Amino acid sequence: MKRFDFLQLTTLLAGAGYLPFLGNEVNKRPGIEQPRGYNIPLIDLAGETDRQVIVDREEGQYLGHPTTVLLDDRKTILAVYPKGHGNGPIVMKKSIDGGLSWSDRLSVPKNWSTSREVPTIYPVVDSEGNKRLIMFSGLYPIRMAVSGDEGDIWSPLEPIGDFGGIVAMSDLIRLKDGSHMAFFHDDGRFIDGEGEPGQFYVYKTRSMDGGLSWTDPVVVATHPEADLCEPGLLRSPDGNQIAMLLRENSRRFNSFVIFSDDEGTTWSDPVELPGALTGDRHQAVYTHDGRLFISFRDMTHVSPTRGDWVGWVGRYEDILNPRREGQYRVRLMDNKHDWDCAYPALELLPDGTIVATTYGHWEKEKEPYIVSVRFKMHELDSKFQQLD
């Protein structure tokens, strides 16, 4: 098919609610055989505005990089994000109805205005069963705030140690012994506060006391040519393995994955993922039927949605097998920028609704703002079946 015919067909199919794949061009660098594109179907939700809920928007103000946490009642969601591209005062909002509506901006400690990086929020629990929320803010030093009452009252940001990093913490997981492990990356500039940009390293740090204190960081991944960063974690269905999906920031490779079979003590060497899972800031949730929905910024080298907010549907076994692309992909929203969008947050509600939240340039020549997209897996599956 001629290229102009393919582009016309892409436009027509997008109007029908889905988009075709873009080829299977192979990355031909020595020793690497992963495709630069993908062959699985692509469903398009971008035009279904009834699924979209505006979380926050301010005329002329950049709002970006949100993360969320679903509280114990399984319907209250907290969202945090900066006023600015990473660097800027931290904003917090609350939804008490599963993300259908959002509060005004909440009062937060004064020094949250000094945040220099993307805030990330997580629930943790200590060995005595005490639950708390913790929120990190990175660069040097990495700082953290704590709430012991599900986000009503927060402490100021305080350093967790004499080290720094980028997008701290990109993800956090509770280990089988009840401790917690968190991950971030750095390129040499912030780990000790006075470095120069260079090799990318992914670090882990561990808390034995429910997130109140953290160990010195330890390297878990690097690559001689690729720039590995922004890890996103998920466990195998049996709980015995942890997979880490990694952004590749040099844009010469696909995304990568590494695995741990000993609760994060050791990790496998990085392996390049298929084009179907190539992107930035992967966040995963298991659906009620055991499949995975993974949200990320599409940076697949050959893709009709490159730079947009997308999702991937498949199974854990697809991630284990580098030749498996998964079941299908979903465009959640159309970003009007080449790349700046989709540091995504995912919450699964009891009724099976996935509340996916992120920022993006959703209108041309307008500053980015925060939006949620809501859907259930059977709705996506129905669209997928219609492609047959």
Side-chain angles (χ1 to χ4, degrees):
M1 182 180 291
K2 295 181 180 179
R3 180 162 181 79
F4 72 89
D5 289 331
F6 182 81
L7 292 176
Q8 290 172 350
L9 179 60
T10 297
T11 302
L12 290 172
L13 292 175
Y18 64 94
L19 291 167
F21 66 84
L22 260 181
N24 199 35
E25 178 188 342
V26 172
N27 182 345
K28 297 179 180 177
R29 292 184 302 277
I32 298 174
E33 300 178 356
Q34 286 290 25
R36 304 284 271 177
Y38 51 89
N39 284 316
I40 56 176
L42 177 57
I43 296 165
D44 194 7
L45 298 184
E48 300 185 14
T49 57
D50 58 311
R51 299 183 180 278
Q52 301 167 8
V53 176
I54 295 177
V55 177
D56 199 1
R57 185 178 187 182
E58 181 180 341
E59 188 68 27
Q61 173 64 56
Y62 187 114
L63 298 176
H65 309 83
T67 58
T68 61
V69 61
L70 181 64
L71 301 186
D72 284 349
D73 65 5
R74 313 307 294 171
K75 63 180 181 181
T76 301
I77 303 174
L78 294 179
V80 293
Y81 44 93
K83 294 184 72 173
H85 186 91
N87 183 8
I90 296 172
V91 177
M92 177 176 287
K93 277 197 166 191
K94 176 188 288 189
S95 172
I96 61 173
D97 54 12
L100 289 169
S101 63
W102 290 85
S103 70
D104 294 334
R105 295 175 184 175
L106 302 176
S107 177
V108 298
K110 185 176 180 180
N111 86 332
W112 286 21
S113 66
T114 66
S115 176
R116 300 176 59 211
E117 243 280 9
V118 175
T120 57
I121 187 171
Y122 299 102
V124 291
V125 58
D126 64 23
S127 60
E128 297 179 354
N130 299 308
K131 297 180 180 180
R132 57 184 62 93
L133 300 176
I134 56 177
M135 186 194 70
F136 296 98
S137 175
L139 300 189
Y140 180 86
I142 295 172
R143 295 180 293 167
M144 185 182 71
V146 180
S147 173
D149 58 4
E150 295 204 306
D152 288 338
I153 299 174
W154 285 87
S155 72
L157 289 167
E158 298 290 347
I160 65 171
D162 188 20
F163 59 90
I166 304 169
V167 190
M169 302 296 178
S170 181
D171 216 340
L172 179 148
I173 192 167
R174 191 179 188 203
L175 304 179
K176 290 181 178 180
D177 66 1
S179 66
H180 296 81
M181 191 171 286
F183 299 83
F184 64 96
H185 77 274
D186 192 61
D187 62 2
R189 288 178 291 168
F190 305 107
I191 191 68
D192 60 8
E194 52 186 16
E196 297 294 330
Q199 182 78 18
F200 278 56
Y201 294 93
V202 178
Y203 294 90
K204 68 179 180 182
T205 177
R206 191 174 179 184
S207 174
M208 305 298 294
D209 56 7
L212 295 179
S213 63
W214 295 87
T215 62
D216 289 339
V218 174
V219 174
V220 299
T222 191
H223 190 282
E225 297 180 77
D227 292 340
L228 305 182
C229 57
E230 295 180 3
L233 305 173
L234 62 150
R235 279 194 181 272
S236 59
D238 65 6
N240 292 326
Q241 185 179 68
I242 303 171
M244 181 188 295
L245 306 178
L246 292 158
R247 167 177 175 170
E248 199 292 294
N249 206 54
S250 78
R251 306 308 185 191
R252 293 182 295 146
F253 300 86
N254 291 352
S255 292
F256 282 76
V257 64
I258 61 175
F259 300 94
S260 176
D261 294 318
D262 55 13
E263 292 297 279
T265 301
T266 61
W267 294 84
S268 64
D269 291 335
V271 174
E272 201 172 8
L273 285 163
L277 268 169
T278 292
D280 298 347
R281 199 65 167 85
H282 302 83
Q283 287 289 288
V285 63
Y286 277 101
T287 66
H288 286 170
D289 64 5
R291 286 179 295 170
L292 283 164
F293 184 89
I294 302 178
S295 176
F296 53 97
R297 173 196 298 160
D298 183 14
M299 295 305 293
T300 306
H301 297 273
V302 184
S303 172
T305 59
R306 183 176 168 88
D308 291 340
W309 181 22
V310 301
W312 174 93
V313 175
R315 296 190 177 276
Y316 188 80
E317 292 75 17
D318 298 326
I319 298 172
L320 280 174
N321 186 336
R323 299 301 179 195
R324 290 170 59 166
E325 294 187 290
Q327 189 177 11
Y328 56 84
R329 297 222 311 185
V330 184
R331 181 165 73 163
L332 296 172
M333 289 189 70
D334 180 11
N335 182 37
K336 310 301 184 183
H337 188 280
D338 288 343
W339 57 268
D340 187 21
C341 74
Y343 269 45
L346 290 177
E347 306 298 346
L348 178 65
L349 303 184
D351 69 352
T353 298
I354 293 176
V355 182
T357 305
T358 198
Y359 80 105
H361 297 255
W362 310 130
E363 296 183 25
K364 289 182 178 180
E365 301 179 356
K366 297 287 187 179
E367 294 287 359
Y369 56 96
I370 315 297
V371 171
S372 289
V373 173
R374 306 170 61 83
F375 55 90
K376 295 181 178 180
M377 289 304 300
H378 72 82
E379 297 170 340
L380 301 185
D381 289 339
S382 177
K383 293 178 180 293
F384 171 66
Q385 292 163 6
Q386 292 172 21
L387 303 182
D388 294 337

